Amino acid sequence: MSMYRKAITLTKQQNDWVKGQIESGQFGNDSEYIRHLIRRDQQAQERLATLRQALAEGESSGESKPLNISAIKAAGRRRMNT
């Protein structure tokens, strides 16, 4: 995997936070922490895209039907008893 050097600017508060994360032993250096944050953001964006797709599919699946709460509860009780 190719690596690229980036220069970033942080506020004192942000820099202190990063240092704290490293001092806690969770990360070896600034780069590890920044890569961790990027991975988390990528995962969050993927989850958001999946959710948006599911919402779009639901909206385009046709007219909704009224919910029968009693039937839903009864089905849940049956599942719990098996």
Side-chain angles (χ1 to χ4, degrees):
M1 176 187 321
S2 297
M3 300 295 264
Y4 299 91
R5 180 173 292 276
K6 300 284 182 184
I8 62 169
T9 304
L10 303 174
T11 65
K12 179 179 179 348
Q13 180 185 16
Q14 292 168 332
N15 190 56
D16 291 345
W17 177 263
V18 172
K19 283 181 182 179
Q21 296 303 303
I22 295 164
E23 289 169 1
S24 73
Q26 294 183 48
F27 304 95
N29 56 43
D30 296 20
S31 294
E32 283 182 20
Y33 183 60
I34 299 300
R35 286 192 299 269
H36 166 77
L37 293 177
I38 292 169
R39 282 191 298 274
R40 280 185 37 197
D41 186 50
Q42 288 171 323
Q43 291 167 348
Q45 293 300 319
E46 289 170 6
R47 287 191 303 270
L48 185 57
T50 300
L51 178 58
R52 285 184 173 144
Q53 173 147 2
L55 288 170
E57 289 172 5
E59 289 174 347
S60 66
S61 68
E63 288 293 318
S64 62
K65 300 174 187 170
L67 293 176
N68 181 337
I69 298 300
S70 297
I72 293 170
K73 288 180 179 179
R77 288 187 189 103
R78 283 192 302 273
R79 288 180 71 184
M80 289 184 68
N81 292 329
T82 57

